[in-house]
Amino acid sequence: MLKLNLTDFSLEHFMANYWQQKPVVIRQGFGNFEDLISPNDLAGLACEEEVESRLVYKKDDQWQAEVGPFESYERFGKDGWTLVVQAVNHWSPEVAELVKPFAFIPKWRLDDVMISYATPGGGVGPHIDLYDVFICQGSGRRHWRVGDLGEHRQFAAHAALLHTDPFEAIIDVELLPGDILYIPPGFPHEGVTLEESMSFSVGFRAKSASDLLSGLADHVIDKELGKTLLTDPKRPIHTHQGQINSSDFTLIKAQLQSLLDDELLVADFAGSYFSKTKCALDLQALDEPLTATEVADALQQQALVRTGGLRCFYVDATVAQGVCYVDGERYAFGPALQAAVIALCDHDELSHDQLHSALQDAAFAKQVSEWVNAGFWYFQD
Ligand code: SIN
Ligand code: CO
């Protein structure tokens, strides 16, 4: 199991002074770090339809970006190009292990593990990201420059590449295998690989109010909520027909606010919204479905493992009712199943001890077997 080694400061110090505040290099954050996937296997994944990937290079000094799937890489030559593959933790259990050392940040903030393979001189150019990222250096050396927050112009260097102007570096380092560079959102940065190299980026995404409101609107429409009409009985005589006066404005705001004040509605929205995945999952449905009893029996021998990238959460406002949210759906198992629901969401692997008594509940056992049959959880051989 990968362990994060902090030698210059404690985790508490990192969270208080760097997380979401400033970039920092964590030298040898992973001791003896080895690539969690080979460049060949990464290149193979980028040939798959369901996997999101991009190839970035320069031609006649102009930035170019191509979107996968790719058929072959021969035409790209020996240097100057980078292959970036998104959500590799969904496709490789070994890569999914890289999420575990970052468990000090909740999973609802996690985005994915993006991996890049670059040939000498390769990089994606100077840019700004909207997420926090821990860039873990795998094989090879890479030169990184990070600039400060500020007014950085952004522009499309290519239709699929948003770049920023050259910037002054506040961090200018060469990363070696096992080193980690943490960059919060908004800091311009650029990595240029010095030799064939692999970078493993664990990304954490935050949502804007506009993202959340649009998600809430979708949720409210889907679930047919918030249908109560705005009412204004005993309205006083209006004098300025064209005016939305202050008491009407208060009424409109109150109508909107009533949704946000509904704790259960917002809990169900947050659970469903954050448990949806952005990229496809590698769901291996069983050819021969198991019954609930067979699942309970198998759990006596083998651990039940959550498929990489599958998101499941509980929210304090509803967990007492045994409610959890899995891959965008709400499941309610009742108060007696609260501990099982918490175990299901908190742990990537579940043992017989953790689920045994909950599996006596027919509805829960049936749902777990449906999840196993659909490939959401699988038995470790
Ligand atoms: C890369 O790994 O090539 C790009 C990572 C980044 O700068 O976000
Ligand atoms: Co970046």
Side-chain angles (χ1 to χ4, degrees), residues 114 124-125 127-129 131 133 135 144 183 187 189-190 201:
M114 181 192 95
V124 300
H127 66 277
I128 294 174
D129 291 319
Y131 46 82
V133 63
I135 302 175
W144 282 96
I183 311 176
F187 287 80
H189 55 278
E190 177 171 27
S201 298

Side-chain angles (χ1 to χ4, degrees), residues 196-217:
E196 224 185 331
S197 83
M198 296 276 277
S199 299
F200 297 77
S201 298
V202 183
F204 290 84
R205 186 167 291 240
K207 297 286 182 185
S208 66
S210 133
D211 294 332
L212 290 180
L213 273 179
S214 110
L216 181 65

Side-chain angles (χ1 to χ4, degrees), residues 146-300:
V146 185
D148 210 343
L149 291 176
E151 294 289 310
H152 297 284
R153 185 179 74 102
Q154 296 192 75
F155 57 93
H158 175 274
L161 275 185
L162 189 61
H163 275 182
T164 189
D165 280 335
F167 53 85
E168 214 172 290
I170 53 169
I171 288 183
D172 190 328
V173 284
E174 203 176 282
L175 288 196
L176 300 174
D179 290 341
I180 302 172
L181 172 60
Y182 165 71
I183 311 176
F187 287 80
H189 55 278
E190 177 171 27
V192 179
T193 190
L194 302 169
E195 53 197 26
E196 224 185 331
S197 83
M198 296 276 277
S199 299
F200 297 77
S201 298
V202 183
F204 290 84
R205 186 167 291 240
K207 297 286 182 185
S208 66
S210 133
D211 294 332
L212 290 180
L213 273 179
S214 110
L216 181 65
D218 289 344
H219 177 80
V220 164
I221 293 164
D222 265 15
K223 306 285 176 208
E224 303 201 10
L225 302 168
K227 296 256 186 197
T228 312
L229 297 180
L230 179 155
T231 56
D232 55 355
K234 306 205 168 110
R235 162 180 279 291
I237 307 289
H238 212 77
T239 43
H240 298 282
Q241 240 194 332
Q243 182 190 27
I244 297 172
N245 69 16
S246 58
S247 58
D248 282 350
F249 183 65
T250 304
L251 196 66
I252 294 165
K253 277 202 348 192
Q255 178 75 337
L256 287 169
Q257 191 64 44
S258 68
L259 283 184
L260 295 178
D261 286 343
D262 186 333
E263 287 281 303
L264 295 183
L265 185 153
V266 178
D268 283 348
F269 156 66
S272 312
Y273 180 80
F274 284 103
S275 66
K276 281 184 194 134
T277 43
K278 205 180 67 187
C279 294
L281 294 168
D282 181 19
L283 295 178
Q284 307 273 347
L286 296 185
D287 293 336
E288 289 178 30
L290 300 175
T291 63
T293 317
E294 286 166 336
V295 166
D297 288 349
L299 192 59
Q300 305 214 19

